[in-house]
């Protein structure tokens, strides 16, 4: 799971052009939106595209995507459970 978390962090940094950040700067349990990393709804769409393209994950509804994108821990758990690639 640690490898997956590192991979997710690297994908987020690349996709969102967070050039001044490293994976170590992103805490696993910290919120990705709001007070945590400070991502917004446009960033959420990018994350959804990453999960679809890299792991074959499609979200059925907004609540599922909101819960899955809450933190790196949440994303890794969701990917582990729902990946098709």
């Amino acid at each position: 799971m640690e490898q997956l978390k590192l991979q997710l962090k690297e994908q987020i940094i690349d996709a969102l052009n967070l050039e001044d950040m490293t994976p170590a700067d992103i805490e696993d349990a910290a919120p990705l939106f709001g007070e945590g990393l400070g991502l917004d709804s446009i960033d959420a769409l990018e994350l959804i595209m990453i999960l679809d393209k890299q792991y074959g994950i499609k979200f059925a509804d907004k609540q599922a995507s909101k819960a899955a994108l809450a933190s790196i821990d949440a994303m890794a758990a969701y990917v582990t459970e729902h990946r098709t690639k």
Side-chain angles (χ1 to χ4, degrees):
M1 178 93 68
E2 291 306 312
Q3 182 62 33
L4 176 58
K5 290 178 185 180
L6 177 62
Q7 199 172 14
L8 289 168
K9 291 176 186 182
E10 290 170 345
Q11 290 167 340
I12 289 170
I13 290 168
D14 289 343
L16 303 180
N17 297 317
L18 303 175
E19 297 164 355
D20 295 337
M21 295 195 86
T22 67
D25 295 329
I26 303 173
E27 295 179 33
D28 292 350
L32 295 178
F33 298 88
E35 295 293 318
L37 197 54
L39 303 183
D40 60 22
S41 59
I42 302 298
D43 298 326
L45 294 174
E46 287 286 336
L47 297 183
I48 289 169
M49 288 177 21
I50 289 170
L51 294 179
D52 182 18
K53 183 178 176 183
Q54 298 295 322
Y55 306 103
I57 292 175
K58 306 251 189 255
F59 290 103
D61 58 51
K62 186 177 178 181
Q63 285 302 98
S65 63
K66 190 173 183 176
L69 301 177
S71 66
I72 294 296
D73 284 339
M75 283 181 73
Y78 197 89
V79 167
T80 299
E81 188 174 329
H82 295 93
R83 73 187 307 168
T84 59
K85 289 185 180 180

